[in-house]
Amino acid sequence: RSLLGALIALPLAVIIGALAAALLTRRIRRLERASSRIADGNLSEPIVDRGMDEIGGLAVALDQMRNELASTDVARRAFVANASHELRTPVFALSGFLELLIDEEDEAMRRQFLATMQDQVERLTRLATDLLDLSRLDAGKFVVVCEPVELAEAAERIALDLTPVANRRGATIVIETTPAMALGDETRIGQITRVLIDNAVRHNPEGVTIWVRTAQRCDATAVIVEDSGPPIPPADAATIFSRFARGSGAGEGSGLGLAIASELADRMGGRLMLDQSGPHKLFRLELPADQPVS
């Protein structure tokens, strides 16, 4: 009986083992084909394996990688398309105004063309700077230090620098700072403040009033940029810190300034927020306090 049982069990074991091996081989080959598709750039087809073993776990990991690569590819394509458009617009404008300037004899018109060209050069410079900062952030080469910073001095300096630009555009900057010691990078804090003030000047109607304030309470400090312009629509406010996010009324701009500012705030252990709960909209840069207030 033992011999008979062995003669029956052995072929069954061989058959079951062969079926299991074939099934495992089939699943592994499916994953191999999926990895080849990913290598070829085909990221649309999901990787599905319903097994609960190690191969199933590998399939889940591969599908997560596929999703991340797909998101990165979409972002890359959007980046190239938007960057190309934003670079092309001022370049074409400069080319056109140069042609008009050559043939224009009226001195007043020539001055107007030169002023417009200066605006386009400034726009091109800002875009190039934003793209360089973005590439440094993504490459991890953006150096952010953490040291005591007097926010009032940093905010006042940037506000005074931008006052002539604001006056030319019919905006008024009001400085209402109070002493506030924060922990952060003074250069990056100035960069964020400049973005906030510059956006308030450029993306609001003529005659807007912009208040630049600082505050300190408990263990946090803040630079606050408030303006009397119209509120940002909810749909635009939801994505305002995303890269290349531009609202319907954004006008000039690449949609990178606030995204870079938000990432810099995060790297300094703070955060950048939009608050429209009051009578005016305001952006608040919050940073850890150097010496928490008891």
Side-chain angles (χ1 to χ4, degrees), residues 5-32:
L7 291 175
I8 295 174
L10 182 60
L12 286 176
V14 172
I15 294 172
I16 294 173
L19 291 175
L23 180 60
L24 288 174
T25 302
R26 182 180 176 184
R27 294 170 63 193
I28 292 172
R29 286 178 177 172
R30 189 185 301 131
L31 294 181
E32 183 182 3

Short mmCIF file of all heavy atoms in Angstrom, two decimals, residues 5-32:
data_model
loop_
_atom_site.label_atom_id
_atom_site.label_comp_id
_atom_site.label_asym_id
_atom_site.label_seq_id
_atom_site.Cartn_x
_atom_site.Cartn_y
_atom_site.Cartn_z
N GLY A 5 0.82 3.97 -2.82
CA GLY A 5 0.58 5.38 -2.51
C GLY A 5 1.68 6.27 -3.05
O GLY A 5 1.42 7.37 -3.55
N ALA A 6 2.93 5.78 -2.95
CA ALA A 6 4.05 6.56 -3.47
C ALA A 6 3.97 6.70 -4.97
O ALA A 6 4.26 7.76 -5.54
CB ALA A 6 5.36 5.92 -3.05
N LEU A 7 3.58 5.59 -5.66
CA LEU A 7 3.46 5.64 -7.12
C LEU A 7 2.37 6.61 -7.56
O LEU A 7 2.47 7.22 -8.62
CB LEU A 7 3.18 4.24 -7.65
CG LEU A 7 4.33 3.23 -7.53
CD1 LEU A 7 3.88 1.85 -7.98
CD2 LEU A 7 5.53 3.70 -8.36
N ILE A 8 1.32 6.75 -6.74
CA ILE A 8 0.25 7.70 -7.10
C ILE A 8 0.64 9.13 -6.74
O ILE A 8 0.40 10.08 -7.50
CB ILE A 8 -1.07 7.30 -6.38
CG1 ILE A 8 -1.54 5.94 -6.89
CG2 ILE A 8 -2.14 8.36 -6.60
CD1 ILE A 8 -2.74 5.40 -6.13
N ALA A 9 1.28 9.32 -5.56
CA ALA A 9 1.59 10.66 -5.07
C ALA A 9 2.69 11.33 -5.89
O ALA A 9 2.66 12.55 -6.11
CB ALA A 9 2.01 10.60 -3.61
N LEU A 10 3.66 10.50 -6.34
CA LEU A 10 4.78 11.10 -7.07
C LEU A 10 4.35 11.79 -8.36
O LEU A 10 4.70 12.94 -8.59
CB LEU A 10 5.84 10.03 -7.33
CG LEU A 10 7.11 10.52 -8.04
CD1 LEU A 10 7.80 11.58 -7.21
CD2 LEU A 10 8.05 9.34 -8.31
N PRO A 11 3.55 11.14 -9.21
CA PRO A 11 3.11 11.84 -10.43
C PRO A 11 2.24 13.06 -10.11
O PRO A 11 2.36 14.09 -10.79
CB PRO A 11 2.31 10.78 -11.17
CG PRO A 11 2.80 9.48 -10.66
CD PRO A 11 3.14 9.73 -9.22
N LEU A 12 1.40 12.93 -9.08
CA LEU A 12 0.56 14.07 -8.72
C LEU A 12 1.43 15.25 -8.26
O LEU A 12 1.17 16.41 -8.62
CB LEU A 12 -0.41 13.68 -7.60
CG LEU A 12 -1.59 12.78 -8.01
CD1 LEU A 12 -2.42 12.38 -6.79
CD2 LEU A 12 -2.47 13.49 -9.05
N ALA A 13 2.47 14.95 -7.46
CA ALA A 13 3.35 16.01 -7.00
C ALA A 13 4.07 16.67 -8.17
O ALA A 13 4.25 17.90 -8.21
CB ALA A 13 4.35 15.45 -5.99
N VAL A 14 4.51 15.81 -9.12
CA VAL A 14 5.20 16.35 -10.29
C VAL A 14 4.27 17.25 -11.09
O VAL A 14 4.63 18.35 -11.53
CB VAL A 14 5.76 15.22 -11.15
CG1 VAL A 14 6.29 15.77 -12.48
CG2 VAL A 14 6.87 14.48 -10.42
N ILE A 15 3.00 16.78 -11.27
CA ILE A 15 2.04 17.57 -12.06
C ILE A 15 1.71 18.88 -11.36
O ILE A 15 1.71 19.96 -11.98
CB ILE A 15 0.76 16.75 -12.29
CG1 ILE A 15 1.07 15.54 -13.19
CG2 ILE A 15 -0.33 17.61 -12.91
CD1 ILE A 15 -0.09 14.57 -13.33
N ILE A 16 1.45 18.81 -10.04
CA ILE A 16 1.12 20.03 -9.28
C ILE A 16 2.29 20.99 -9.28
O ILE A 16 2.14 22.21 -9.45
CB ILE A 16 0.69 19.66 -7.85
CG1 ILE A 16 -0.64 18.88 -7.88
CG2 ILE A 16 0.56 20.91 -6.99
CD1 ILE A 16 -1.05 18.33 -6.53
N GLY A 17 3.51 20.45 -9.10
CA GLY A 17 4.70 21.30 -9.12
C GLY A 17 4.89 21.98 -10.47
O GLY A 17 5.26 23.15 -10.53
N ALA A 18 4.65 21.19 -11.53
CA ALA A 18 4.80 21.77 -12.87
C ALA A 18 3.78 22.87 -13.11
O ALA A 18 4.11 23.92 -13.69
CB ALA A 18 4.65 20.67 -13.92
N LEU A 19 2.52 22.65 -12.66
CA LEU A 19 1.49 23.67 -12.83
C LEU A 19 1.84 24.93 -12.03
O LEU A 19 1.70 26.05 -12.52
CB LEU A 19 0.13 23.13 -12.38
CG LEU A 19 -0.48 22.04 -13.28
CD1 LEU A 19 -1.76 21.50 -12.66
CD2 LEU A 19 -0.77 22.62 -14.67
N ALA A 20 2.31 24.73 -10.77
CA ALA A 20 2.68 25.88 -9.95
C ALA A 20 3.86 26.65 -10.57
O ALA A 20 3.88 27.88 -10.60
CB ALA A 20 3.03 25.42 -8.54
N ALA A 21 4.84 25.89 -11.08
CA ALA A 21 5.98 26.54 -11.72
C ALA A 21 5.56 27.31 -12.96
O ALA A 21 6.05 28.42 -13.22
CB ALA A 21 7.04 25.49 -12.05
N ALA A 22 4.65 26.68 -13.73
CA ALA A 22 4.16 27.36 -14.94
C ALA A 22 3.43 28.64 -14.59
O ALA A 22 3.58 29.68 -15.26
CB ALA A 22 3.25 26.42 -15.73
N LEU A 23 2.62 28.58 -13.52
CA LEU A 23 1.88 29.77 -13.09
C LEU A 23 2.83 30.87 -12.64
O LEU A 23 2.68 32.04 -13.00
CB LEU A 23 0.90 29.40 -11.97
CG LEU A 23 0.05 30.54 -11.42
CD1 LEU A 23 -0.82 31.14 -12.52
CD2 LEU A 23 -0.83 30.04 -10.27
N LEU A 24 3.84 30.49 -11.83
CA LEU A 24 4.81 31.47 -11.37
C LEU A 24 5.61 32.07 -12.54
O LEU A 24 5.86 33.27 -12.60
CB LEU A 24 5.77 30.83 -10.36
CG LEU A 24 5.18 30.52 -8.98
CD1 LEU A 24 6.19 29.77 -8.14
CD2 LEU A 24 4.75 31.81 -8.28
N THR A 25 5.97 31.18 -13.48
CA THR A 25 6.72 31.65 -14.65
C THR A 25 5.88 32.62 -15.47
O THR A 25 6.38 33.64 -15.95
CB THR A 25 7.14 30.46 -15.51
OG1 THR A 25 7.94 29.56 -14.73
CG2 THR A 25 7.94 30.92 -16.71
N ARG A 26 4.59 32.30 -15.60
CA ARG A 26 3.68 33.18 -16.35
C ARG A 26 3.57 34.54 -15.69
O ARG A 26 3.61 35.58 -16.38
CB ARG A 26 2.31 32.50 -16.44
CG ARG A 26 1.28 33.27 -17.22
CD ARG A 26 -0.02 32.49 -17.22
NE ARG A 26 -1.08 33.22 -17.88
CZ ARG A 26 -2.34 32.79 -17.96
NH1 ARG A 26 -2.67 31.62 -17.43
NH2 ARG A 26 -3.26 33.51 -18.57
N ARG A 27 3.46 34.57 -14.37
CA ARG A 27 3.37 35.84 -13.65
C ARG A 27 4.66 36.64 -13.77
O ARG A 27 4.65 37.86 -13.96
CB ARG A 27 3.04 35.59 -12.19
CG ARG A 27 1.65 34.99 -11.97
CD ARG A 27 1.46 34.53 -10.54
NE ARG A 27 1.54 35.65 -9.60
CZ ARG A 27 1.67 35.49 -8.29
NH1 ARG A 27 1.79 34.25 -7.77
NH2 ARG A 27 1.72 36.54 -7.50
N ILE A 28 5.79 35.95 -13.65
CA ILE A 28 7.07 36.64 -13.77
C ILE A 28 7.27 37.20 -15.17
O ILE A 28 7.76 38.33 -15.34
CB ILE A 28 8.22 35.68 -13.39
CG1 ILE A 28 8.14 35.34 -11.90
CG2 ILE A 28 9.57 36.29 -13.73
CD1 ILE A 28 9.11 34.27 -11.46
N ARG A 29 6.87 36.42 -16.19
CA ARG A 29 6.99 36.92 -17.56
C ARG A 29 6.08 38.13 -17.79
O ARG A 29 6.43 39.05 -18.54
CB ARG A 29 6.68 35.80 -18.55
CG ARG A 29 7.80 34.76 -18.65
CD ARG A 29 7.42 33.65 -19.60
NE ARG A 29 8.54 32.70 -19.74
CZ ARG A 29 8.44 31.53 -20.38
NH1 ARG A 29 7.28 31.17 -20.93
NH2 ARG A 29 9.49 30.73 -20.46
N ARG A 30 4.91 38.13 -17.13
CA ARG A 30 4.02 39.27 -17.24
C ARG A 30 4.68 40.52 -16.67
O ARG A 30 4.60 41.61 -17.24
CB ARG A 30 2.71 38.98 -16.52
CG ARG A 30 1.63 40.05 -16.76
CD ARG A 30 0.39 39.80 -15.93
NE ARG A 30 -0.16 38.49 -16.24
CZ ARG A 30 -0.50 37.57 -15.33
NH1 ARG A 30 -0.31 37.83 -14.04
NH2 ARG A 30 -1.01 36.42 -15.68
N LEU A 31 5.35 40.36 -15.52
CA LEU A 31 6.07 41.48 -14.94
C LEU A 31 7.24 41.91 -15.81
O LEU A 31 7.55 43.11 -15.91
CB LEU A 31 6.56 41.13 -13.53
CG LEU A 31 5.49 40.89 -12.45
CD1 LEU A 31 6.15 40.58 -11.12
CD2 LEU A 31 4.57 42.08 -12.33
N GLU A 32 7.89 40.94 -16.43
CA GLU A 32 9.00 41.25 -17.32
C GLU A 32 8.52 42.08 -18.50
O GLU A 32 9.16 43.06 -18.89
CB GLU A 32 9.66 39.96 -17.80
CG GLU A 32 10.88 40.19 -18.67
CD GLU A 32 11.49 38.89 -19.16
OE1 GLU A 32 10.93 37.81 -18.85
OE2 GLU A 32 12.52 38.95 -19.85
#
